[in-house]
Amino acid sequence: MADLPRNYEEFADARKGAFMKVKDFKENGGKLIGYLCSYTPLEIIEASGASSVALCGTSNETVADAEEVLPKNLCPLIKGTYGFAYTEKCPFTYYADFIVGETTCDGKKKMYELLNDLKETYVMQLPQNQERAWGREGWRQELELLKEKVEQTYNVQITDEMLRQAARNRNAFRRAILDLYECQLEEPPIMSGVDIMATVAAAGFNFSLTGYTAAVNEKVAAAKAAYAAGERKVSADAKRILITGCPSSGVMGKVGSSIEKNGGVIVCFDDCGGPRTQSTMVDVEAEDIMQELADRYLGINCSVMTPNGGRLDNTLDMCRKYKVDGVIDIVLTACHTFSVESELMRLRMEDAGIPYMKIETDYAPNDQGQIDTRIAAFIEML
């Protein structure tokens, strides 16, 4: 059974533990495909019998190394991902049979051209509008092409039933993660938001989807039982904060921890790993399972889509569902799509009467003091 980290320090240990396991996994015949983005149709990978693994990248450790090749004024996630591959410090990249990329932002799609020189990188062409018929048709073709690539790599034929079973397993994982998030609906919440984020982030470094799903279900059941018995890990006075914006796992140690040390508690993550990307299930009985998968993934509301009103609507719905006191929008330095869209988010929250703050940061620790000061003032104002 998978070990679940209880905080972000333990998440780092869980990542190191996975480093130790990946070599044994591959030496024992394991198939492994790396990915970065929530648009990656994981069911296609998993239907082949391969495991999908998130690449290292949410750390400042290799950013300076990446800047030997990449421009400094680039998103830290892009630099971190390339840096870990460039220095061979990410065993998931090293041992992956290949990497699946996607044309979300311009920085990533050009970085993939360089990454391909270090590790074979297969890039899916993502439409950046969800409303055009040609976009839907084109994305379906991209899934078909990825399926062919996986079949050729492993000399297998992926049938519709294999895709349906992979979707059942992935749906079960999504439900477990949603149950974990919904622990925060309670007043006060059942657990720390940083604890939840560490658990979700560690899932990307686990090679057994069903094993990790079972572990998350056990964690949720145990936490609910303790809460029912009177245990309270979060103060009833803690201000309820929703995190939105860029992928937040790389800054959860400095932004998330700061929120929860300064009188707040994170009750919802509206980022790439939050309920927004997990809540849509795959209809395993759909007549055309490939089109069902294509529609499910294209429906993810990321800032690379234009227009992207669905994200703003979802954030406001989550604010109401989780009874938030304030919203903190995390924007990684040089992430232009989320940075521009933050103004639309600010206006939507302002119209709804919900306090809002934007934090632009990277993975380096040098702005920790400023972040602590701003977050403390924001929560005190709440």
Side-chain angles (χ1 to χ4, degrees):
M1 192 61 68
D3 293 328
L4 300 182
R6 293 190 297 272
N7 54 49
Y8 238 74
E9 287 70 28
E10 289 192 15
F11 163 69
D13 291 336
R15 187 171 71 112
K16 291 175 184 176
F19 284 10
M20 303 296 290
K21 294 175 184 176
V22 65
K23 182 173 182 290
D24 290 339
F25 177 79
K26 286 293 294 181
E27 288 178 349
N28 285 292
K31 306 174 189 176
L32 195 65
I33 296 177
Y35 73 96
L36 284 88
C37 183
S38 56
Y39 281 107
T40 308
L42 300 177
E43 289 86 349
I44 293 176
I45 295 172
E46 291 156 3
S48 72
S51 291
S52 55
V53 63
L55 300 184
C56 311
T58 56
S59 165
N60 200 53
E61 181 180 344
T62 63
V63 166
D65 298 296
E67 288 174 348
E68 296 177 9
V69 178
L70 300 175
K72 291 185 177 181
N73 60 338
L74 193 62
C75 161
L77 177 59
I78 297 172
K79 291 190 289 186
T81 300
Y82 182 81
F84 271 103
Y86 182 64
T87 59
E88 296 188 346
K89 289 183 177 180
C90 180
F92 307 133
T93 306
Y94 183 84
Y95 283 108
D97 297 312
F98 67 93
I99 294 166
V100 178
E102 74 307 313
T103 56
T104 43
C105 72
D106 290 343
K108 282 172 73 177
K109 73 184 183 186
K110 298 306 291 185
M111 180 273 284
Y112 290 144
E113 296 178 15
L114 299 174
L115 183 62
N116 188 60
D117 291 334
L118 306 175
K119 170 64 64 170
E120 182 184 3
T121 303
Y122 180 89
V123 179
M124 301 184 73
Q125 303 294 321
L126 176 72
Q128 302 205 336
N129 180 286
Q130 298 160 320
E131 300 173 359
R132 299 285 195 269
W134 60 261
R136 181 172 182 257
E137 294 164 4
W139 186 235
R140 160 67 184 265
Q141 291 177 19
E142 288 298 315
L143 267 68
E144 294 282 5
L145 290 171
L146 176 64
K147 175 173 169 285
E148 290 178 12
K149 168 63 178 175
V150 174
E151 288 176 329
Q152 291 168 3
T153 298
Y154 296 126
N155 193 28
V156 298
Q157 181 178 359
I158 299 173
T159 66
D160 282 359
E161 183 50 42
M162 292 162 75
L163 288 171
R164 294 181 201 279
Q165 185 55 51
R168 291 184 189 99
N169 293 339
R170 185 53 63 174
N171 281 349
F173 171 77
R174 293 182 182 116
R175 292 189 188 97
I177 294 298
L178 291 174
D179 285 345
L180 177 68
Y181 282 124
E182 291 190 352
C183 288
Q184 304 307 82
L185 288 171
E186 298 290 343
E187 300 181 68
I190 291 179
M191 62 183 72
S192 153
V194 173
D195 178 3
I196 288 177
M197 191 59 194
T199 300
V200 174
F205 299 141
N206 197 279
F207 312 135
S208 172
L209 180 64
T210 55
Y212 205 82
T213 299
V216 172
N217 284 330
E218 287 185 10
K219 179 185 180 94
V220 171
K224 288 182 176 179
Y227 191 86
E231 180 180 272
R232 297 292 181 268
K233 292 186 175 181
V234 178
S235 168
D237 296 328
K239 297 302 180 182
R240 302 170 67 87
I241 303 298
L242 178 144
I243 293 288
T244 190
C246 291
S248 61
S249 58
V251 296
M252 196 47 49
K254 68 175 181 178
V255 178
S257 296
S258 182
I259 290 169
E260 299 197 331
K261 290 175 182 176
N262 283 288
V265 58
I266 304 169
V267 293
C268 186
F269 293 88
D270 183 38
D271 65 357
C272 295
R276 174 167 52 84
T277 63
Q278 302 290 346
S279 58
T280 304
M281 302 295 158
V282 175
D283 179 2
V284 297
E285 302 302 329
E287 182 176 353
D288 187 341
I289 187 62
M290 189 64 84
Q291 188 63 60
E292 171 68 12
L293 287 169
D295 290 344
R296 187 266 171 206
Y297 281 94
L298 189 59
I300 293 173
N301 296 310
C302 175
S303 65
V304 299
M305 294 293 172
T306 184
N308 190 36
R311 177 191 167 217
L312 305 179
D313 294 340
N314 178 78
T315 304
L316 186 55
D317 289 343
M318 299 300 278
C319 286
R320 291 166 175 161
K321 178 178 178 179
Y322 284 84
K323 300 179 182 177
V324 308
D325 296 306
V327 168
I328 294 180
D329 198 348
I330 298 176
V331 176
L332 294 177
T333 304
C335 182
H336 303 309
T337 58
F338 273 107
S339 188
V340 173
E341 196 165 276
S342 66
E343 178 62 9
L344 298 176
M345 183 64 73
R346 183 189 70 80
L347 293 171
R348 180 64 67 91
M349 294 301 108
E350 184 178 277
D351 288 344
I354 300 171
Y356 167 92
M357 180 173 70
K358 174 183 175 181
I359 292 178
E360 186 166 348
T361 188
D362 57 19
Y363 298 153
N366 56 319
D367 60 348
Q368 182 69 70
Q370 181 189 60
I371 286 174
D372 289 342
T373 299
R374 291 188 63 206
I375 287 175
F378 181 69
I379 292 175
E380 184 177 356
M381 176 269 295
L382 298 180

